[in-house]
Amino acid sequence: MFYNLKIAIRNLRSNGLYSIINIIGLAVSVTVCILIALWVKDELSFDKFHENEKNIYLVGTKQTDDIYWATTPAPMSIFAKAEMPEIKDYCRIAWYDNSYVEYNNKKFYGNDFGAVDSSFFRIFDFQLLEGNIQELFKDAQSIIISETKAKAIFGEEDPMGKLIRLSNDISFQVTGIMKDMPKNSSIRYDMLVPFEVLNKTYGGNGFWKRIDDDWGNYSYRTCLLLQPNADHQSVSSKLGEMVTRLRQEQGSGMRMTFRFSLQPLAKLHLYSLDGKPAGLEKVYLFSIIAVLIILIACINYVNLVTARSSKRGKEIAIRKISGAKLPGLFRQLMEETALLLFASLAITIALVYLLLPFYNELSGKEMSFNIFDPSSLLIFGATTLCVLCLTGIYPAILLGSFKPMEAFGRSSTGKNKHIYFRKALVVLQFTCSIILILGTIVIGKQLDYLQKKNLGYSKENIITVPQMKMQGHYDAVRDELLKNKNVSGVSVFSFDNMTVGSSRMGVSWPGKDENNDLVFHCAWSRFEMPELMNIPIVEGKLPPGTPGENYVMLNEEAVKQMKLENPVGAKISLNSDNNYVEVTGILKDFNFAKLNENIKPLIISFTDNSWGYLYVKTTGEGTQSVIASLEKLWKQYNPDYEFNYNFMDDFFEKTYRTDIQTERLLSVFSIVAIFISCLGLFGLVTYTAETKTKEIGIRKVLGASVSNIVNMLSKEFLILVGIAMLIAFPLAYFWLDKMLQDYAYRISITWPVFALAGMITLALTLLTVSWQAIKAATANPVKSIKTE
Amino acid sequence: MIKITDLEKIYRTEEVETVALNKMCMEVKEHEFVAIMGPSGCGKSTLLNILGMLDDPTSGSFVFNGAEVSKYNENKRSDLRKANIGFVFQSFNLIDELTVFENVELPLVYNNIKPAERKVMVEAALEGVQMMHRRNHFPSQLSGGQQQRVAVARAVVNNPKLILADEPTGNLDSKNGVEVMQLLTSLNEKGTTIIMVTHSEHDSRYAHRIIHMLDGKTVTENFLKELVYAAQ
Ligand SMILES: Nc1ncnc2c1ncn2[C@@H]1O[C@H](COP(=O)(O)OP(=O)(O)O)[C@@H](O)[C@H]1O
Ligand SMILES: [Mg+2]
């Protein structure tokens, strides 16, 4: 063993350059692999930590075949549990919107509050550190807070039993401390209050008295814990039948069919409610990339070892003749590989620790790596084993099977035996690299296209701020803002960033086909808005803006789908309450959703007292003074809330954050892939130049110029890279075209993209190859010919 | 054709300085066949490399066809070499991966001669050394004498004015050696100037003149035959 180790170290040292190439290649690729594995592990671990994980489902409301809401009315689960034995338990979860908690006259901002049923800790495995699980919500004024928040608010004091006041002026008693909800949980709150508390603030809407009776408000997430062998499909259809029946019995004259879906909680993170993958593709993509990068590095290793096998062959042959048995030789070679691998793993560990902070920033996650953590060890061990198999076995078998006489002989058969195999591997490497490069270019271009795309309104120089208590004081707020000469206009829109997050059915209009209901996106606004945002009016006019009067405008798509003949002046009713409002005009279609979707029908209701966000347009100068004016108003109307504003110009970054992250990660990965490929190529060229020293000398004596020689050495590799391109281009086209189909607005993949990728690859190849080639070509031929 | 005066070549390594050529003077006329003899290490190969413009002298003058070439740069030397000089080495120096035909063709490729023309010239050269029947063989499939004949064919395919041969028979048995020497003689009779390094008394007798070297310079010259040459 020690004897072998000594030989192994000596071998690695005497092949300095090749050892370094292999060690760097393996270290970098295993590092990338581990980083990707951490990412994948994190993605796959979402919501898996509940013991009941397999039996917890989230109920989705199926609006149409392709519109799902992740929320339901509050009473549904109560009735469902009473009727269906398959349902073991249920828990409703709602946002409990408060801006701060107050304790000892100090306010603490930035908390997420959830209102949950008392079953919460029975169904989910969130750890309770203090408090009695039976009596957590003994009355509606109980609150459970997370460890971190408890520390922040109470410091060294014991929080249990203490009273804290929320911004809605209700006081709560701390009845439990829970461990912070893990980052890989889709359900994450800092503080939990009983669901009943919602009843306190529930004003009723005339028709329904209690929140537990309100079938019209879809604001609550419903999680069901099913019996271990219950069929969730049948539960979801039973839910639909039940709600349809109950609503009819309530006699509102509704003849609507309700449909629901049950999605396993564990699928929430990577699938959308309709069961289609949403995020899972990225997990696959990155896993494949990890495998490809490892493969590329292993190919380097195999290529360099086999290329040099004729040299090593002599040593092996002598050993064989001296009586070495195959298993012994095999072990010696595997030990050599293992030694090399361990050297690179040492570097890998350092690299992973070093790069993790940057990687977290790049990927927007908070992953940690501790080499002694069992799962890290597993990832690490598995990767290492794979690499050991890939890199070790082939060369070992190859060298071990060497026939001694063949190795000694001058015949070149042994030398050339593996050349085609090697060439095929190089082609494979570059195919992978080129595909990744193409992916980076195309996704980058797509994002660029989305960013530059005309959305149908102008988002430049718009600052948005939630109105909150400014609502109802619009005129005063506007007048105050317009005193600032840098403010050029003000209006209100119900949602931030011109995205519309509300939709409804049951809208009536003249000539509506009752069997063909439509889903409308709904927004609320003031009459100045279209002008402020530069949304053209294609027909009709703006609402007059008379106080107390309500009007609506439609977008072109709505008119088209409604088949309205004379839209301007038509009267439509948003609810089934026969409260008809007049359509004053048609707005040109604009994008109010992510560009993955086409423009949908939209109704904007105009009142002089719209809820939502204040949109302030500046002249583009003195932005700071505008913000100061806004802050002053904010302090006046919303003194209890943190002042937050948003530039619509930043909107793109926020909406497409995950796409941008994917693109960044992908570009890093393709750089790594091409780097490792070029590293291997460098090794091969060095080797070729080394073995061809004499031939190069002869050729030079016979009149070859430096460029002749460089050509000769590079041509072979350029051809291989050329073949790789021919293979990579159609594959990449197929993949990327499929990926772009996720976007309603997308670029088409045209030849300049391929030309660019081709040029990048060729340039890098040439750079890699020519350095060694030029070195070999300029060497003095007299010396190289002598070597005999 | 060639005139060198006070030619010096000094090799410097870290510790030692080797004077391979020590103020060497020599003249070679067109159509001459000169043999160079001397003990191992006296600078014969060094001289040949400089004459073949594979290496440059440390000092001294080297006039080739009336032009002072000792200060030529690599490119100019390469052009001059391509057009005028053929080489034959002791160790043949054929390229293993190329066939006989392709090996002989190489100088023509680097002289940018068209493929059709190349074929004619290569075949003529191979005909001249009686190796046409082996045109598609690889060097490893030939005997030493055959390999050296191919090397001679490669040296002459370009119709060079000068052939430099460094111990062309050194690796051959006597029968094969004689064949190669006869080849060189007949080339010389057709007008090619030949400078040949050899250890063999027998081979040197094919030459017009023998130059004996010692420690990097000429010590004696023997004239064996008159240079009689009538340009055809
Ligand atoms: N590249 C070199 N570096 C250093 N010394 C050299 C080199 N080539 C030749 N020499 C030395 O120059 C001298 C002449 O060598 P060479 O011309 O090869 O002799 P010959 O061919 O007559 O045997 C020898 O002493 C040799 O050791
Ligand atoms: Mg010599």
Side-chain angles (χ1 to χ4, degrees):
Chain A
M1 173 71 210
F2 283 114
Y3 168 75
N4 274 342
L5 195 66
K6 218 166 69 191
I7 302 273
I9 291 175
R10 201 184 296 155
N11 257 322
L12 291 187
R13 273 177 46 189
S14 70
N15 300 328
L17 177 71
Y18 303 102
S19 303
I20 287 173
I21 289 177
N22 278 325
I23 289 174
I24 291 179
L26 286 173
V28 171
S29 66
V30 175
T31 303
V32 168
C33 228
I34 285 173
L35 291 179
I36 293 180
L38 286 174
W39 187 91
V40 168
K41 186 188 119 196
D42 186 77
E43 286 286 297
L44 292 179
S45 70
F46 265 73
D47 304 312
K48 297 270 166 66
F49 52 89
H50 307 291
E51 198 182 320
N52 291 322
E53 170 235 315
K54 293 208 164 56
N55 301 314
I56 306 175
Y57 292 86
L58 178 78
V59 183
T61 305
K62 206 168 169 182
Q63 283 292 311
T64 64
D65 281 338
D66 46 33
I67 296 183
Y68 285 71
W69 291 348
T71 50
T72 65
M76 187 183 74
S77 42
I78 303 176
F79 283 89
K81 193 187 172 204
E83 276 187 21
M84 296 172 210
E86 300 99 311
I87 299 176
K88 204 164 149 190
D89 212 340
Y90 68 86
C91 181
R92 293 164 299 174
I93 303 172
W95 280 101
Y96 191 52
D97 208 5
N98 273 280
S99 75
Y100 63 85
V101 281
E102 194 176 328
Y103 176 69
N104 261 351
N105 295 321
K106 258 209 250 151
K107 288 173 180 161
F108 300 89
Y109 290 94
N111 300 299
D112 290 333
F113 298 89
V116 300
D117 281 313
S118 59
S119 56
F120 188 80
F121 284 93
R122 285 200 305 270
I123 296 179
F124 304 108
D125 284 86
F126 295 110
Q127 254 187 331
L128 207 59
L129 297 172
E130 275 185 66
N132 182 345
I133 208 165
Q134 308 300 333
E135 300 181 350
L136 281 177
F137 294 142
K138 58 178 189 270
D139 62 38
Q141 261 74 41
S142 308
I143 191 165
I144 298 158
I145 57 183
S146 75
E147 203 181 357
T148 314
K149 295 296 179 180
K151 279 229 177 64
I153 297 171
F154 298 102
E156 295 300 305
E157 282 180 71
D158 179 13
M160 292 294 286
K162 295 265 158 47
L163 280 178
I164 54 177
R165 203 170 56 83
L166 301 200
S167 54
N168 61 1
D169 248 356
I170 304 179
S171 286
F172 290 86
Q173 187 179 27
V174 179
T175 56
I177 313 281
M178 61 181 175
K179 238 186 151 165
D180 291 3
M181 292 185 175
K183 288 245 153 55
N184 58 356
S185 173
S186 302
I187 301 168
R188 291 196 70 203
Y189 297 99
D190 300 310
M191 307 198 181
L192 296 172
V193 298
F195 197 76
E196 291 91 75
V197 84
L198 295 176
N199 267 323
K200 287 209 152 194
T201 40
Y202 180 71
N205 58 4
F207 190 78
W208 285 297
K209 303 285 176 282
R210 287 184 336 130
I211 208 161
D212 286 353
D213 301 327
D214 187 342
W215 285 95
N217 187 347
Y218 287 75
S219 300
Y220 315 99
R221 283 203 273 178
T222 300
C223 288
L224 299 180
L225 176 64
L226 298 190
Q227 300 290 356
N229 38 27
D231 172 18
H232 72 277
Q233 304 280 10
S234 91
V235 174
S236 62
S237 53
K238 279 189 196 169
L239 279 176
E241 289 157 22
M242 180 191 82
V243 176
T244 309
R245 191 191 72 229
L246 287 172
R247 296 300 306 275
Q248 258 164 6
E249 282 170 14
Q250 285 170 345
S252 57
M254 294 244 292
R255 219 173 290 109
M256 272 174 82
T257 327
F258 292 87
R259 288 182 298 168
F260 298 93
S261 70
L262 254 60
Q263 193 195 25
L265 183 71
K267 283 190 158 188
L268 202 56
H269 182 64
L270 293 176
Y271 296 83
S272 61
L273 285 174
D274 55 8
K276 287 191 194 115
L280 188 69
E281 327 83 271
K282 232 163 74 179
V283 171
Y284 285 142
L285 174 66
F286 284 172
S287 307
I288 292 173
I289 289 176
V291 172
L292 290 185
I293 287 179
I294 278 284
L295 192 71
I296 290 174
C298 291
I299 287 177
N300 279 354
Y301 184 83
V302 171
N303 268 352
L304 288 179
V305 170
T306 58
R308 300 163 47 73
S309 67
S310 54
K311 269 196 181 162
R312 283 308 302 281
K314 276 190 186 130
E315 180 204 326
I316 304 283
I318 293 170
R319 284 172 190 279
K320 265 191 165 176
I321 290 169
S322 326
K325 294 274 183 323
L326 208 78
L329 283 173
F330 182 79
R331 217 183 59 213
Q332 189 204 331
L333 286 162
M334 286 304 278
E335 272 165 18
E336 233 172 274
T337 307
L339 187 72
L340 197 111
L341 194 56
F342 283 128
S344 44
L345 290 188
I347 299 175
T348 300
I349 294 172
L351 277 178
V352 170
Y353 278 111
L354 199 73
L355 293 176
L356 202 57
F358 303 102
Y359 185 57
N360 275 331
E361 195 170 311
L362 201 66
S363 60
K365 283 188 186 291
E366 281 185 30
M367 295 168 284
S368 64
F369 181 75
N370 176 358
I371 180 73
F372 300 111
D373 183 54
S375 65
S376 303
L377 272 179
L378 189 73
I379 293 177
F380 206 72
T383 318
T384 311
L385 200 69
C386 279
V387 173
L388 192 61
C389 290
L390 277 170
T391 54
I393 290 174
Y394 180 75
I397 289 175
L398 168 72
L399 290 181
S401 68
F402 239 73
K403 295 193 182 57
M405 282 312 143
E406 215 170 83
F408 286 136
R410 283 178 54 101
S411 85
S412 52
T413 49
K415 203 156 73 187
N416 291 329
K417 201 156 56 181
H418 301 281
I419 196 149
Y420 289 106
F421 181 68
R422 217 149 50 224
K423 283 181 174 173
L425 289 183
V426 171
V427 169
L428 182 63
Q429 274 184 321
F430 274 84
T431 306
C432 299
S433 305
I434 295 166
I435 291 178
L436 287 180
I437 291 178
L438 273 167
T440 311
I441 297 175
V442 168
I443 294 174
K445 280 193 106 135
Q446 170 70 13
L447 286 178
D448 195 49
Y449 167 78
L450 291 180
Q451 187 160 25
K452 298 213 174 101
K453 181 173 177 351
N454 183 2
L455 297 173
Y457 58 84
S458 48
K459 59 178 194 289
E460 288 73 31
N461 304 327
I462 301 272
I463 303 172
T464 64
V465 167
Q467 285 186 104
M468 308 191 85
K469 289 173 184 160
M470 283 187 246
Q471 191 186 346
H473 306 279
Y474 177 80
D475 290 347
V477 169
R478 179 199 53 205
D479 292 347
E480 184 61 35
L481 280 171
L482 286 175
K483 279 184 198 162
N484 186 326
K485 64 178 187 338
N486 295 313
V487 172
S488 64
V490 183
S491 187
V492 171
F493 192 70
S494 46
F495 303 96
D496 205 357
N497 287 323
M498 293 304 284
T499 54
V500 175
S502 164
S503 61
R504 70 169 67 211
M505 299 176 76
V507 176
S508 340
W509 65 90
K512 179 186 180 184
D513 173 1
E514 283 304 324
N515 296 321
N516 187 14
D517 205 357
L518 277 180
V519 178
F520 288 89
H521 280 76
C522 299
W524 290 260
S525 189
R526 286 183 53 90
F527 72 96
E528 311 96 330
M529 192 275 300
E531 214 168 299
L532 187 82
M533 300 305 293
N534 287 331
I535 302 171
I537 298 162
V538 288
E539 217 184 317
K541 56 179 180 1
L542 284 175
T546 328
E549 284 181 13
N550 295 351
Y551 296 93
V552 297
M553 290 183 89
L554 306 172
N555 71 350
E556 293 170 293
E557 185 63 24
V559 175
K560 201 170 106 197
Q561 292 201 19
M562 290 159 86
K563 304 195 177 73
L564 259 182
E565 305 249 307
N566 297 307
V568 177
K571 300 225 166 194
I572 70 172
S573 159
L574 294 188
N575 300 308
S576 23
D577 56 6
N578 292 325
N579 193 352
Y580 281 88
V581 282
E582 188 186 320
V583 177
T584 64
I586 314 298
L587 289 174
K588 193 165 174 52
D589 280 341
F590 63 94
N591 291 97
F592 53 83
K594 262 187 99 169
L595 291 169
N596 299 38
E597 290 170 30
N598 278 310
I599 294 171
K600 303 261 165 60
L602 173 70
I603 301 176
I604 305 181
S605 307
F606 290 87
T607 72
D608 62 327
N609 189 22
S610 169
W611 61 283
Y613 288 75
L614 207 57
Y615 280 59
V616 180
K617 186 167 192 143
T618 71
T619 54
E621 280 154 34
T623 313
Q624 282 311 318
S625 84
V626 176
I627 290 170
S629 305
L630 275 167
E631 187 161 14
K632 204 171 133 229
L633 281 165
W634 183 272
K635 291 237 167 81
Q636 182 185 340
Y637 288 98
N638 299 316
D640 288 342
Y641 295 87
E642 262 182 305
F643 175 60
N644 276 315
Y645 57 90
N646 167 49
F647 289 104
M648 266 192 85
D649 291 318
D650 299 341
F651 172 53
F652 180 81
E653 288 263 333
K654 286 181 203 147
T655 332
Y656 296 97
R657 184 175 291 142
T658 56
D659 304 66
I660 293 170
Q661 277 162 1
T662 310
E663 195 246 355
R664 284 199 199 130
L665 285 176
L666 198 64
S667 60
V668 170
F669 296 150
S670 22
I671 289 170
V672 168
I674 193 83
F675 168 74
I676 301 176
S677 302
C678 285
L679 207 61
L681 203 58
F682 182 76
L684 278 183
V685 171
T686 310
Y687 171 76
T688 312
E690 211 173 72
T691 49
K692 289 199 171 167
T693 325
K694 193 178 147 207
E695 177 181 338
I696 292 166
I698 299 172
R699 284 176 185 268
K700 281 191 77 178
V701 169
L702 297 179
S705 62
V706 170
S707 60
N708 285 145
I709 301 292
V710 173
N711 262 349
M712 176 189 102
L713 287 174
S714 317
K715 203 172 72 190
E716 176 188 343
F717 294 104
L718 287 179
I719 288 174
L720 294 184
V721 171
I723 296 173
M725 275 186 217
L726 290 183
I727 301 173
F729 285 172
L731 287 178
Y733 182 85
F734 182 73
W735 164 51
L736 291 166
D737 195 60
K738 206 158 163 253
M739 188 155 76
L740 287 178
Q741 280 165 16
D742 281 351
Y743 295 90
Y745 301 90
R746 50 161 285 185
I747 55 165
S748 48
I749 308 170
T750 46
W751 67 266
V753 172
F754 294 105
L756 182 62
M759 257 149 60
I760 291 175
T761 320
L762 275 183
L764 286 175
T765 312
L766 265 179
L767 210 68
T768 311
V769 171
S770 56
W771 194 71
Q772 277 297 338
I774 288 172
K775 210 173 114 191
T778 49
N780 188 344
V782 176
K783 282 182 193 153
S784 34
I785 287 182
K786 257 192 185 158
T787 34
E788 179 57 357
Chain B
M1 181 184 211
I2 289 171
K3 186 173 164 55
I4 57 174
T5 26
D6 291 342
L7 201 70
E8 267 193 318
K9 178 72 187 178
I10 300 170
Y11 290 111
R12 287 194 181 85
T13 53
E14 285 107 47
E15 295 121 43
V16 281
E17 211 173 71
T18 317
V19 183
L21 291 179
N22 186 7
K23 303 225 181 263
M24 169 100 186
C25 299
M26 178 177 105
E27 203 169 337
V28 178
K29 292 197 190 66
E30 219 154 319
H31 314 308
E32 213 178 353
F33 188 161
V34 178
I36 299 176
M37 297 189 74
S40 193
C42 69
K44 307 180 295 288
S45 297
T46 306
L47 174 66
L48 223 57
N49 288 337
I50 291 174
L51 293 178
M53 294 172 222
L54 296 173
D55 218 347
D56 45 359
T58 313
S59 66
S61 132
F62 172 18
V63 178
F64 185 85
N65 276 346
E68 174 62 53
V69 298
S70 59
K71 294 287 173 289
Y72 272 21
N73 65 16
E74 161 90 27
N75 268 345
K76 271 179 133 177
R77 280 194 278 150
S78 170
D79 287 345
L80 210 55
R81 181 170 70 227
K82 267 198 301 203
N84 294 299
I85 306 174
F87 291 88
V88 180
F89 303 93
Q90 175 179 359
S91 53
F92 323 139
N93 281 336
L94 299 176
I95 293 171
D96 293 338
E97 284 78 15
L98 301 183
T99 62
V100 164
F101 185 94
E102 288 161 346
N103 263 294
V104 176
E105 193 186 21
L106 266 188
L108 303 178
V109 174
Y110 293 129
N111 269 306
N112 296 323
I113 290 168
K114 289 192 193 72
E117 243 175 284
R118 288 207 298 254
K119 189 162 178 287
V120 177
M121 293 168 80
V122 172
E123 279 169 2
L126 283 175
E127 217 59 88
V129 299
Q130 278 137 38
M131 285 299 292
M132 252 317 267
H133 59 300
R134 295 297 182 103
R135 49 181 296 177
N136 291 324
H137 288 206
F138 286 93
S140 58
Q141 297 165 314
L142 303 177
S143 74
Q146 288 172 322
Q147 287 191 45
Q148 193 62 302
R149 267 150 57 195
V150 174
V152 171
R154 184 179 63 185
V156 302
V157 69
N158 214 7
N159 298 320
K161 298 191 180 66
L162 173 65
I163 285 181
L164 299 173
D166 196 347
E167 299 182 38
T169 60
N171 278 353
L172 301 177
D173 58 38
S174 57
K175 180 174 161 285
N176 277 313
V178 169
E179 272 180 25
V180 168
M181 284 318 297
Q182 282 167 350
L183 260 175
L184 289 178
T185 315
S186 75
L187 283 171
N188 177 250
E189 280 160 5
K190 283 178 208 140
T192 315
T193 313
I194 294 178
I195 304 176
M196 174 184 77
V197 168
T198 182
H199 281 299
S200 143
E201 276 299 330
H202 173 264
D203 289 352
S204 67
R205 274 185 233 119
Y206 288 89
H208 296 125
R209 173 159 64 109
I210 303 175
I211 297 178
H212 289 275
M213 279 181 73
L214 191 64
D215 291 341
K217 51 173 123 172
T218 313
V219 282
T220 50
E221 280 184 62
N222 293 0
F223 289 84
L224 304 179
K225 314 171 190 148
E226 268 306 300
L227 173 62
V228 209
Y229 179 77
Q232 278 124 8

